[in-house]
Amino acid sequence: MSSLRTLVFFATPAHDCSYLPDREATTMFVDPRANIDKKLYSQLTSLGFRRSGSHYYRPHCEACNACIPVRLNVNSFRPDRSQRRVMKKNSDLECVLVPAAFSERYYQLYANYVELRHKDGDMYPPSREQFTSFLVEGATDSLFLEIHEHGELVALAAVDALEDGLSAIYTVFDPALEHRSLGTFAVLWQIQEARRRKLPYLYLGYWIKQCQKMNYKTRFKPIEALQDGQWRVLEAP
């Protein structure tokens, strides 16, 4: 079994940044041959790594530190008025956690979401192979949160269970239901699930101050950021 002391890391060549224009990025990956169990995955996450399929990575840019890992202390979180409205308007939805696996209905929801909302992103155009490699392969205690409206799947959130919390991997939803704020609802549900499991944290990936698409993360307060090797409450941006 691999450990932090035995892991080997690789860095990619510089490539165009997916989030900030006119910048180059370098990504550090854990050796894909490493045997990553739940304990090691949890340790990597606390050090700012994320999982994408079978790959564990974090930004490793020489001239930029814009990508900041963030997490929420679920026991300190108190929803604001807007978040309480989201919970109320979605109180009719049914939510269930299931093991992460491929399903055609999952893929159709994912493909529709990517087609309509992320044509400018790395996931376009969507494919079944891409869905599987991104959200199913390499799963370590990984779950899908199914969100149903009157029995119909309207949102799907990929969630990993860690030793000290949950990791919110990715959420897709029916773009026709944008008024429901299903992305925010999925995060709020995962906060409640972490509390139910008596886990202190919900890891929300990276936050970039200059990236408007990531602004929603700082609306969950008090959000913590990993800076200079320490997790601290992020000051109001």
Side-chain angles (χ1 to χ4, degrees):
M1 186 62 62
S2 301
S3 69
L4 282 177
R5 289 185 298 175
T6 62
L7 284 180
V8 176
F9 299 90
F10 299 96
T12 66
H15 53 275
D16 290 341
C17 179
S18 300
Y19 300 105
L20 300 177
D22 304 320
R23 296 202 193 184
E24 288 190 331
T26 302
T27 306
M28 178 187 293
F29 283 94
V30 175
D31 186 344
R33 296 168 296 184
N35 190 351
I36 309 293
D37 62 3
K38 185 175 181 178
K39 178 180 178 180
L40 183 53
Y41 180 19
S42 301
Q43 292 173 330
L44 287 167
T45 302
S46 70
L47 293 173
F49 281 78
R50 294 287 286 171
R51 181 180 73 85
S52 176
S54 300
H55 302 289
Y56 298 82
Y57 70 94
R58 67 167 297 168
H60 189 64
C61 308
E62 289 187 6
C64 179
N65 58 0
C67 294
I68 300 174
V70 290
R71 71 183 185 187
L72 186 69
N73 186 320
V74 300
N75 294 314
S76 299
F77 172 73
R78 297 293 181 271
D80 61 20
R81 180 179 300 177
S82 174
Q83 291 160 346
R84 291 195 297 271
R85 285 200 299 266
V86 170
M87 291 297 292
K88 185 176 180 179
K89 78 169 65 172
N90 291 299
S91 60
D92 61 319
L93 299 181
E94 179 186 0
C95 301
V96 59
L97 281 175
V98 299
F102 179 84
S103 165
E104 184 62 24
R105 65 190 181 115
Y106 295 162
Y107 171 70
Q108 291 301 327
L109 182 68
Y110 170 86
N112 186 45
Y113 177 83
V114 173
E115 288 276 359
L116 294 179
R117 291 181 63 97
H118 290 287
K119 280 192 174 181
D120 59 342
D122 295 339
M123 295 174 297
Y124 184 84
S127 69
R128 290 168 179 79
E129 293 75 18
Q130 175 206 63
F131 174 90
T132 301
S133 65
F134 176 30
L135 297 176
V136 179
E137 290 180 356
T140 302
D141 206 353
S142 302
L143 304 162
F144 281 167
L145 167 63
E146 295 182 357
I147 301 176
H148 299 266
E149 180 187 41
H150 307 306
E152 181 180 352
L153 183 70
V154 295
L156 185 74
V159 188
D160 284 352
L162 306 172
E163 290 191 335
D164 65 343
L166 300 178
S167 179
I169 302 297
Y170 199 66
T171 300
V172 299
F173 55 84
D174 183 350
L177 299 177
E178 189 168 1
H179 63 281
R180 278 190 176 270
S181 303
L182 291 172
T184 296
F185 175 71
V187 173
L188 292 168
W189 194 95
Q190 289 171 73
I191 291 170
Q192 293 179 338
E193 179 64 16
R195 286 174 175 168
R196 283 190 286 268
R197 295 179 178 224
K198 301 188 185 304
L199 298 171
Y201 300 115
L202 175 64
Y203 290 87
L204 294 173
Y206 300 113
W207 171 71
I208 301 174
K209 184 177 182 179
Q210 304 94 317
C211 183
Q212 187 174 0
K213 291 180 180 179
M214 295 188 179
N215 285 349
Y216 76 92
K217 298 183 181 183
T218 58
R219 297 182 192 131
F220 296 90
K221 301 181 184 299
I223 198 78
E224 296 182 359
L226 181 62
Q227 297 177 297
D228 300 322
Q230 298 292 323
W231 287 99
R232 301 185 181 91
V233 173
L234 182 67
E235 299 298 328

